[in-house]
């Protein structure tokens, strides 16, 4: 089983320059390969594999641009593999057509597939083409190192994501006769409400620092673009954005680990939220982005795989908030602003989020018993196809189930 460990790097000024050169070589290679592939397909109808792109790098790009030798050869081969993967995702309809990478706006990273080392005793990591770089090894890795991905953030901080393979199989998902199912309802007021009574507050990281962020951006708009004060203020804004992201990630990791491990549940039932449709609400889009519902779903998925738990995803049209968890009465008049309501059939007073979590728990129990519809893996999994979680989808009409896809038409090239 593969696990990634993310470590903070502290390179010297010379090592930072080497990293910048490698990142520049990767960006230049990606753009030239994209141009070559696009024009070849447009003019001659040819499609190139990663092997063809590697030959183009070795026999065409490197002789024409000798400075590409500053980057390790295998790092440039990872660039061609990434472009091939992007084209496959486009033709499957999962992504848009690959775009050129900008020097100022694209993510600054590169991958080392071999010859990387992590020395826990010395507290350093060996990056091919850069050398031994000081690092904070806060967690001891287990297994064989597969690759290292170095990322330079806009704030100037550098991280190394090290992928290790311990050689062990995933824990088998064995359910007892009377499994314990935990229903988890995600919302904006409280980030998650569980059927066992536990609730997790929403940190609202962006709201905490939004006033400071607006102030800095207002000052930045008055600076001369490209000046030293402008660059200094850009780094300060980037550090503030990074702090907001760190607060959000810390809360989500603690919450998802508590849900998967501390709850002692055998299965976890959540809703398959249509996040892409929810963010179209102008009044809630910013808060939904800040809550990161998709990231919470992704973390619960892979942590269930790690610890041998079963994940049950109810269909997005399952009315978990409208159904009375006590008698099953359906409240068609419930609105988003109604946080509490009383069932007219059994006169039970419901908290909206708590009631939804109890309904999800009941849905999970029926799903495990085989009474809630068809059992199949998710159509677009966020993990490898061989390691997908169990997804229970209730019966809905075909007209209601619409996916937001991108156009498969490639942009016209000059």
């Amino acid at each position: 089983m593969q696990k990634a460990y993310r470590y903070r790097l502290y390179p010297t000024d010379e090592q930072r320059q080497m990293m910048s050169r490698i990142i520049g070589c990767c960006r230049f290679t990606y753009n030239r390969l994209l141009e070559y592939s696009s024009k070849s397909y447009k003019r001659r109808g040819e499609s190139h594999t990663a092997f063809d792109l590697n030959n183009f790098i070795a026999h065409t790009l490197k002789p024409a641009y000798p400075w590409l030798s500053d980057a390790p050869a295998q790092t440039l081969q990872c660039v061609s593999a990434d472009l091939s993967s992007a084209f496959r995702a486009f033709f499957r309809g999962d992504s848009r057509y690959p775009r050129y990478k900008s020097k100022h706006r694209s993510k600054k990273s590169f991958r080392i597939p071999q010859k990387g080392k992590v020395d826990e005793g010395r507290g350093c990591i060996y990056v091919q083409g850069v050398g031994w770089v000081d690092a904070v090894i806060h967690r001891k890795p287990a297994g064989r190192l597969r690759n290292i991905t170095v990322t330079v953030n806009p704030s100037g901080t550098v991280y190394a994501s090290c992928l290790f393979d311990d050689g062990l199989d995933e824990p088998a998902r064995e359910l007892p006769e009377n499994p314990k199912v935990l229903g988890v309802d995600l919302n904006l007021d409280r980030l998650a409400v569980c059927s066992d009574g536990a609730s997790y507050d929403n940190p609202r990281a962006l709201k905490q620092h939004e006033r400071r962020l607006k102030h800095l951006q207002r000052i930045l708009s008055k600076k001369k673009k490209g000046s030293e004060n402008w660059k200094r203020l850009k780094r300060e804004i980037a550090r503030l954005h990074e702090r907001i992201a760190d607060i959000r990630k810390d809360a989500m990791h603690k919450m998802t680990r508590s849900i998967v491990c501390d709850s002692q549940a055998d299965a976890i039932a959540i809703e398959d939220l249509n996040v892409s449709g929810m963010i179209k609400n102008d009044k809630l889009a910013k808060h939904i982005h800040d809550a990161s519902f998709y990231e919470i779903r992704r973390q619960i998925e892979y942590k269930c795989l790690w610890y041998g738990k079963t994940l049950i995803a109810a269909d997005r049209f399952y009315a978990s908030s409208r159904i009375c968890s006590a008698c099953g009465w359906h409240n068609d008049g419930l609105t988003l602003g109604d946080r509490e309501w009383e069932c007219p059939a059994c006169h039970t007073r419901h908290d909206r989020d708590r009631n939804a979590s109890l309904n999800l728990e009941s849905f999970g129990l029926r799903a495990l018993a085989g009474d809630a519809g068809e059992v199949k893996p998710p159509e677009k999994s966020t993990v490898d196809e061989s390691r997908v979680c169990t997804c229970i989808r209730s019966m809905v009409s075909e007209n209601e189930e619409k996916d937001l896809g991108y156009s498969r038409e490639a942009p016209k090239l000059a």
Side-chain angles (χ1 to χ4, degrees):
M1 188 166 57
Q2 295 182 355
K3 289 186 179 181
Y5 299 83
R6 192 166 180 256
Y7 301 121
R8 174 76 180 271
L9 298 181
Y10 292 91
T12 61
D13 293 339
E14 183 180 357
Q15 290 174 337
R16 283 183 179 272
Q17 293 178 2
M18 288 298 302
M19 291 179 181
S20 298
R21 285 201 291 268
I22 295 176
I23 291 172
C25 292
C26 293
R27 182 181 61 252
F28 178 84
T29 303
Y30 185 90
N31 291 339
R32 297 289 78 77
L33 293 179
L34 178 56
E35 180 184 15
Y36 170 68
S37 300
S38 300
K39 290 185 177 180
S40 298
Y41 185 80
K42 179 182 178 182
R43 295 173 181 175
R44 298 180 295 273
E46 297 178 354
S47 298
H48 299 288
T49 63
F51 181 78
D52 299 331
L53 297 179
N54 290 336
N55 289 334
F56 181 75
I57 294 174
H59 302 297
T60 304
L61 288 183
K62 283 192 173 181
Y65 306 99
W67 46 268
L68 286 177
S69 300
D70 293 343
Q74 293 181 340
T75 299
L76 298 183
Q77 292 176 3
C78 291
V79 173
S80 62
D82 292 341
L83 181 60
S84 299
S85 177
F87 272 115
R88 287 195 299 269
F90 166 70
F91 286 112
R92 286 198 310 267
D94 297 340
S95 179
R96 65 177 67 185
Y97 193 83
R99 294 178 293 178
Y100 292 98
K101 292 188 176 182
S102 169
K103 179 179 180 180
H104 303 287
R105 296 184 178 275
S106 61
K107 183 179 179 180
K108 298 180 179 180
S109 64
F110 63 93
R111 188 163 68 252
I112 305 294
Q114 292 182 0
K115 299 183 180 180
K117 299 177 183 178
V118 177
D119 193 334
E120 183 185 2
R122 295 168 51 192
C124 55
I125 296 176
Y126 180 77
V127 180
Q128 187 182 9
V130 179
W132 287 99
V133 184
D134 293 337
V136 177
I137 313 297
H138 61 281
R139 288 188 299 169
K140 183 178 180 180
R144 182 172 65 90
L145 180 63
R146 300 295 299 271
N147 60 64
I148 297 176
T149 302
V150 179
T151 304
V152 181
N153 293 329
S155 61
T157 57
V158 185
Y159 289 90
S161 181
C162 305
L163 182 65
F164 284 85
D165 189 355
D166 56 10
L168 302 177
D169 296 331
E170 297 172 1
R173 292 190 292 269
E174 297 181 357
L175 295 173
E177 294 183 0
N178 297 317
K180 179 183 178 181
V181 178
L182 180 69
V184 180
D185 178 66
L186 303 179
N187 54 83
L188 295 178
D189 186 19
R190 291 170 290 180
L191 194 57
V193 177
C194 301
S195 58
D196 60 355
S199 63
Y200 303 89
D201 295 332
N202 189 349
R204 299 186 183 274
L206 180 60
K207 187 177 181 180
Q208 292 181 22
H209 300 83
E210 190 173 15
R211 186 174 180 180
R212 174 66 176 169
L213 188 61
K214 288 182 178 179
H215 176 69
L216 294 177
Q217 289 174 338
R218 189 180 300 114
I219 297 176
L220 179 67
S221 65
K222 301 177 182 180
K223 299 293 183 182
K224 182 179 179 180
K225 188 173 182 179
S227 63
E228 292 300 323
N229 287 334
W230 182 84
K231 294 179 181 178
R232 177 187 58 80
L233 201 56
K234 285 281 287 184
R235 288 192 296 268
E236 186 175 354
I237 293 175
R239 284 194 294 268
L240 184 57
H241 276 293
E242 190 173 339
R243 174 171 176 78
I244 293 172
D246 289 341
I247 293 174
R248 187 183 299 121
K249 291 177 183 177
D250 179 70
M252 284 190 295
H253 277 290
K254 290 179 178 178
M255 182 191 72
T256 53
R257 179 174 175 83
S258 177
I259 290 174
V260 176
C261 300
D262 299 343
S263 63
Q264 302 296 320
D266 302 307
I268 298 173
I270 61 175
E271 284 184 298
D272 184 18
L273 297 176
N274 182 17
V275 181
S276 58
M278 295 169 63
I279 60 178
K280 292 182 180 180
N281 187 331
D282 297 337
K283 297 181 180 180
L284 298 177
K286 180 174 64 175
H287 303 289
I288 293 173
H289 278 296
D290 192 23
S292 301
F293 290 151
Y294 181 82
E295 177 64 17
I296 294 174
R297 163 76 179 270
R298 189 188 70 87
Q299 290 187 14
I300 293 178
E301 277 190 2
Y302 75 75
K303 288 179 183 180
C304 284
L305 293 173
W306 282 1
Y307 299 104
K309 303 297 179 69
T310 300
L311 179 63
I312 303 171
D315 192 88
R316 62 185 58 173
F317 298 104
Y318 177 68
S320 59
S321 300
R322 298 175 181 269
I323 301 174
C324 175
S325 58
C327 66
W329 184 79
H330 198 282
N331 186 359
D332 294 327
L334 189 68
T335 62
L336 190 60
D338 299 331
R339 308 314 302 175
E340 294 184 357
W341 60 281
E342 182 177 352
C343 177
C346 63
H347 303 286
T348 303
R349 190 74 179 177
H350 291 296
D351 176 84
R352 179 192 183 99
D353 304 326
R354 169 74 171 165
N355 178 64
S357 65
L358 292 174
N359 285 325
L360 288 172
E361 179 184 355
S362 301
F363 180 88
L365 291 172
R366 294 196 308 270
L368 294 178
D371 298 332
E374 185 181 0
V375 180
K376 62 178 181 179
E379 296 178 358
K380 298 179 181 179
S381 175
T382 57
V383 295
D384 295 339
E385 294 181 358
S386 58
R387 303 188 301 162
V388 296
C389 63
T390 303
C391 179
I392 313 298
R393 305 183 65 88
S394 59
M395 303 301 294
V396 296
S397 64
E398 295 181 358
N399 294 331
E400 290 176 334
E401 197 167 8
K402 298 179 181 178
D403 295 329
L404 298 176
Y406 297 104
S407 174
R408 297 192 179 188
E409 183 179 356
K412 296 181 180 180
L413 301 175

Short mmCIF file of all heavy atoms in Angstrom, two decimals, residues 212 215-221 223 227-239:
data_model
loop_
_atom_site.label_atom_id
_atom_site.label_comp_id
_atom_site.label_asym_id
_atom_site.label_seq_id
_atom_site.Cartn_x
_atom_site.Cartn_y
_atom_site.Cartn_z
N ARG A 212 -7.98 41.03 6.85
CA ARG A 212 -6.55 41.27 6.64
C ARG A 212 -6.18 41.06 5.17
O ARG A 212 -5.38 41.82 4.60
CB ARG A 212 -5.73 40.33 7.52
CG ARG A 212 -4.23 40.35 7.31
CD ARG A 212 -3.63 41.67 7.70
NE ARG A 212 -2.18 41.65 7.57
CZ ARG A 212 -1.42 42.73 7.65
NH1 ARG A 212 -1.97 43.93 7.87
NH2 ARG A 212 -0.11 42.65 7.52
N HIS A 215 -7.27 44.03 3.12
CA HIS A 215 -6.40 45.18 3.39
C HIS A 215 -5.10 45.08 2.60
O HIS A 215 -4.66 46.07 1.98
CB HIS A 215 -6.12 45.25 4.90
CG HIS A 215 -5.16 46.33 5.29
ND1 HIS A 215 -5.47 47.68 5.21
CD2 HIS A 215 -3.87 46.27 5.74
CE1 HIS A 215 -4.44 48.40 5.60
NE2 HIS A 215 -3.46 47.56 5.94
N LEU A 216 -4.48 43.91 2.62
CA LEU A 216 -3.22 43.74 1.89
C LEU A 216 -3.43 43.86 0.38
O LEU A 216 -2.60 44.46 -0.33
CB LEU A 216 -2.59 42.39 2.23
CG LEU A 216 -2.11 42.21 3.67
CD1 LEU A 216 -1.58 40.81 3.89
CD2 LEU A 216 -1.03 43.24 4.02
N GLN A 217 -4.52 43.32 -0.13
CA GLN A 217 -4.77 43.40 -1.55
C GLN A 217 -5.09 44.83 -2.00
O GLN A 217 -4.76 45.25 -3.11
CB GLN A 217 -5.93 42.47 -1.93
CG GLN A 217 -5.55 41.00 -1.83
CD GLN A 217 -6.72 40.08 -2.06
OE1 GLN A 217 -7.88 40.48 -1.89
NE2 GLN A 217 -6.45 38.83 -2.43
N ARG A 218 -5.71 45.59 -1.11
CA ARG A 218 -5.98 46.99 -1.43
C ARG A 218 -4.67 47.78 -1.51
O ARG A 218 -4.49 48.65 -2.38
CB ARG A 218 -6.90 47.59 -0.37
CG ARG A 218 -7.42 48.98 -0.73
CD ARG A 218 -8.33 49.52 0.34
NE ARG A 218 -9.48 48.68 0.55
CZ ARG A 218 -9.71 48.00 1.68
NH1 ARG A 218 -8.83 48.05 2.67
NH2 ARG A 218 -10.77 47.25 1.81
N ILE A 219 -3.73 47.49 -0.60
CA ILE A 219 -2.43 48.16 -0.64
C ILE A 219 -1.65 47.73 -1.89
O ILE A 219 -0.98 48.53 -2.54
CB ILE A 219 -1.63 47.84 0.64
CG1 ILE A 219 -2.35 48.38 1.87
CG2 ILE A 219 -0.23 48.44 0.57
CD1 ILE A 219 -1.68 48.02 3.18
N LEU A 220 -1.76 46.42 -2.25
CA LEU A 220 -1.04 45.91 -3.41
C LEU A 220 -1.49 46.61 -4.69
O LEU A 220 -0.68 46.85 -5.60
CB LEU A 220 -1.25 44.40 -3.52
CG LEU A 220 -0.57 43.70 -4.70
CD1 LEU A 220 0.94 43.74 -4.55
CD2 LEU A 220 -1.05 42.26 -4.81
N SER A 221 -2.77 46.93 -4.79
CA SER A 221 -3.29 47.58 -6.00
C SER A 221 -2.69 48.97 -6.22
O SER A 221 -2.73 49.48 -7.35
CB SER A 221 -4.81 47.66 -5.93
OG SER A 221 -5.22 48.51 -4.87
N LYS A 223 0.55 49.70 -5.47
CA LYS A 223 1.99 49.59 -5.68
C LYS A 223 2.30 49.49 -7.17
O LYS A 223 1.48 49.04 -7.97
CB LYS A 223 2.54 48.36 -4.96
CG LYS A 223 2.34 48.36 -3.45
CD LYS A 223 3.15 49.45 -2.78
CE LYS A 223 2.98 49.38 -1.26
NZ LYS A 223 3.73 50.46 -0.57
N SER A 227 7.86 46.28 -8.75
CA SER A 227 8.79 46.91 -7.82
C SER A 227 9.09 45.98 -6.65
O SER A 227 8.41 44.96 -6.44
CB SER A 227 8.21 48.22 -7.32
OG SER A 227 7.01 48.00 -6.59
N GLU A 228 10.09 46.32 -5.86
CA GLU A 228 10.46 45.49 -4.71
C GLU A 228 9.36 45.46 -3.66
O GLU A 228 9.10 44.43 -3.04
CB GLU A 228 11.77 45.99 -4.11
CG GLU A 228 12.99 45.79 -5.01
CD GLU A 228 13.23 44.33 -5.33
OE1 GLU A 228 13.00 43.48 -4.44
OE2 GLU A 228 13.63 44.02 -6.47
N ASN A 229 8.72 46.61 -3.43
CA ASN A 229 7.61 46.63 -2.46
C ASN A 229 6.44 45.79 -2.96
O ASN A 229 5.75 45.13 -2.17
CB ASN A 229 7.15 48.08 -2.24
CG ASN A 229 8.14 48.87 -1.42
OD1 ASN A 229 8.89 48.31 -0.62
ND2 ASN A 229 8.15 50.19 -1.60
N TRP A 230 6.21 45.80 -4.27
CA TRP A 230 5.15 44.98 -4.85
C TRP A 230 5.45 43.50 -4.66
O TRP A 230 4.56 42.72 -4.29
CB TRP A 230 5.01 45.32 -6.32
CG TRP A 230 3.92 44.57 -7.04
CD1 TRP A 230 2.61 44.89 -7.08
CD2 TRP A 230 4.08 43.38 -7.82
NE1 TRP A 230 1.91 43.98 -7.84
CE2 TRP A 230 2.80 43.05 -8.31
CE3 TRP A 230 5.16 42.59 -8.18
CZ2 TRP A 230 2.58 41.93 -9.11
CZ3 TRP A 230 4.95 41.49 -8.96
CH2 TRP A 230 3.68 41.16 -9.43
N LYS A 231 6.70 43.09 -4.89
CA LYS A 231 7.09 41.69 -4.72
C LYS A 231 6.99 41.27 -3.25
O LYS A 231 6.55 40.16 -2.93
CB LYS A 231 8.49 41.47 -5.25
CG LYS A 231 8.63 41.65 -6.75
CD LYS A 231 10.08 41.44 -7.19
CE LYS A 231 10.22 41.65 -8.70
NZ LYS A 231 11.63 41.51 -9.14
N ARG A 232 7.44 42.16 -2.36
CA ARG A 232 7.39 41.83 -0.93
C ARG A 232 5.95 41.65 -0.48
O ARG A 232 5.62 40.71 0.27
CB ARG A 232 8.04 42.95 -0.13
CG ARG A 232 7.98 42.75 1.38
CD ARG A 232 8.49 43.97 2.11
NE ARG A 232 7.72 45.16 1.75
CZ ARG A 232 6.53 45.45 2.25
NH1 ARG A 232 5.95 44.63 3.13
NH2 ARG A 232 5.89 46.54 1.88
N LEU A 233 5.06 42.53 -0.94
CA LEU A 233 3.67 42.42 -0.55
C LEU A 233 3.01 41.19 -1.17
O LEU A 233 2.14 40.56 -0.55
CB LEU A 233 2.92 43.68 -0.98
CG LEU A 233 1.60 43.99 -0.26
CD1 LEU A 233 1.82 44.05 1.25
CD2 LEU A 233 1.03 45.31 -0.74
N LYS A 234 3.40 40.80 -2.38
CA LYS A 234 2.88 39.58 -3.00
C LYS A 234 3.26 38.36 -2.16
O LYS A 234 2.43 37.45 -1.97
CB LYS A 234 3.45 39.44 -4.41
CG LYS A 234 2.82 40.36 -5.44
CD LYS A 234 1.48 39.85 -5.93
CE LYS A 234 1.64 38.67 -6.85
NZ LYS A 234 0.34 38.24 -7.41
N ARG A 235 4.48 38.32 -1.66
CA ARG A 235 4.89 37.19 -0.81
C ARG A 235 4.12 37.18 0.49
O ARG A 235 3.76 36.10 1.00
CB ARG A 235 6.39 37.26 -0.55
CG ARG A 235 7.26 36.92 -1.76
CD ARG A 235 8.70 36.71 -1.34
NE ARG A 235 9.29 37.95 -0.81
CZ ARG A 235 9.93 38.84 -1.53
NH1 ARG A 235 10.07 38.66 -2.84
NH2 ARG A 235 10.45 39.92 -0.98
N GLU A 236 3.84 38.35 1.05
CA GLU A 236 3.07 38.40 2.30
C GLU A 236 1.65 37.91 2.08
O GLU A 236 1.08 37.18 2.91
CB GLU A 236 3.07 39.83 2.84
CG GLU A 236 2.43 39.95 4.20
CD GLU A 236 2.55 41.36 4.78
OE1 GLU A 236 3.23 42.20 4.17
OE2 GLU A 236 1.94 41.61 5.85
N ILE A 237 1.04 38.28 0.96
CA ILE A 237 -0.31 37.79 0.65
C ILE A 237 -0.29 36.28 0.42
O ILE A 237 -1.20 35.56 0.85
CB ILE A 237 -0.86 38.54 -0.58
CG1 ILE A 237 -1.09 40.01 -0.25
CG2 ILE A 237 -2.16 37.90 -1.07
CD1 ILE A 237 -1.52 40.85 -1.44
N ALA A 238 0.75 35.79 -0.24
CA ALA A 238 0.87 34.35 -0.47
C ALA A 238 1.01 33.60 0.85
O ALA A 238 0.45 32.51 1.02
CB ALA A 238 2.05 34.06 -1.39
N ARG A 239 1.77 34.16 1.79
CA ARG A 239 1.91 33.52 3.10
C ARG A 239 0.57 33.49 3.84
O ARG A 239 0.26 32.50 4.53
CB ARG A 239 2.96 34.26 3.94
CG ARG A 239 4.38 33.97 3.53
CD ARG A 239 5.36 34.43 4.59
NE ARG A 239 5.34 35.89 4.73
CZ ARG A 239 6.13 36.71 4.08
NH1 ARG A 239 7.01 36.23 3.21
NH2 ARG A 239 6.06 38.01 4.27
#
